[in-house]
Amino acid sequence: MADKKKGFPVKATKKYIDLLYMTPQELTAKDISELFLTHHELTLELWAEVNVVEIELANHNSIDFEAIDIDFKSPSDAAFVKNRGIKTAYAINLCEDDLTVATPYFEELVTKYSGFVCADSEDFTPVYAGSSKR
């Protein structure tokens, strides 16, 4: 029997990636959302009570920032955070295809509030904005 799926368009699935934003500043989701208020190409949704902000890009994909606890269980992760004086961290979720579009926004965030945006990886690399150097 012939493959019946042949001829139907294949819907591309979006691949999402997880990043981290870490800063030595005390920072809320409201602070992040206020930074981007002047960007009229963005739509912002703030859930201040749970410290989450969603930034919708012009292509209707979103970048989600969710505050996370920096009390890491891994001794090396805990040392990494302590050595850099990190006070606030956010998990960032976005479509991998939007990373190039998102990077200037990350750079703006780091310029205003310091810190860095990095991969949520074993060694916190690569770094996409700012610097994780001590």
Side-chain angles (χ1 to χ4, degrees):
M1 201 145 183
D3 183 3
K4 297 202 188 255
K5 292 182 182 180
K6 206 171 193 175
F8 288 101
V10 177
K11 187 173 183 179
T13 57
K14 294 178 184 177
K15 181 179 177 193
Y16 287 85
I17 57 173
D18 294 315
L19 307 178
L20 294 170
Y21 170 55
M22 296 191 217
T23 179
Q25 305 288 321
E26 296 282 344
L27 192 64
T28 66
K30 183 177 181 187
D31 296 324
I32 294 170
S33 69
E34 287 175 349
L35 176 64
F36 297 115
L37 282 176
T38 59
H39 292 276
H40 301 292
E41 73 279 11
L42 302 175
T43 303
L44 303 169
E45 286 257 5
L46 172 65
W47 294 275
E49 61 280 354
V50 290
N51 220 9
V52 171
V53 65
E54 177 186 84
I55 300 170
E56 185 178 310
L57 302 171
N59 66 5
H60 302 291
N61 290 341
S62 66
I63 305 169
D64 300 325
F65 287 79
E66 181 178 351
I68 60 171
D69 187 4
I70 58 170
D71 187 23
F72 294 121
K73 304 299 178 228
S74 160
S76 63
D77 292 353
F80 180 91
V81 167
K82 182 181 178 197
N83 291 339
R84 287 155 184 81
I86 302 301
K87 292 183 180 159
T88 306
Y90 280 85
I92 303 171
N93 183 265
L94 73 153
C95 181
E96 187 174 43
D97 293 341
D98 294 328
L99 186 57
T100 305
V101 172
T103 300
Y105 298 120
F106 297 154
E107 289 171 352
E108 186 175 344
L109 181 64
V110 166
T111 297
K112 172 85 176 183
Y113 294 114
S114 71
F116 55 94
V117 175
C118 63
D120 186 0
S121 65
E122 192 72 28
D123 61 355
F124 303 111
T125 60
V127 174
Y128 297 101
S131 173
S132 63
K133 305 281 186 230
R134 294 184 230 185

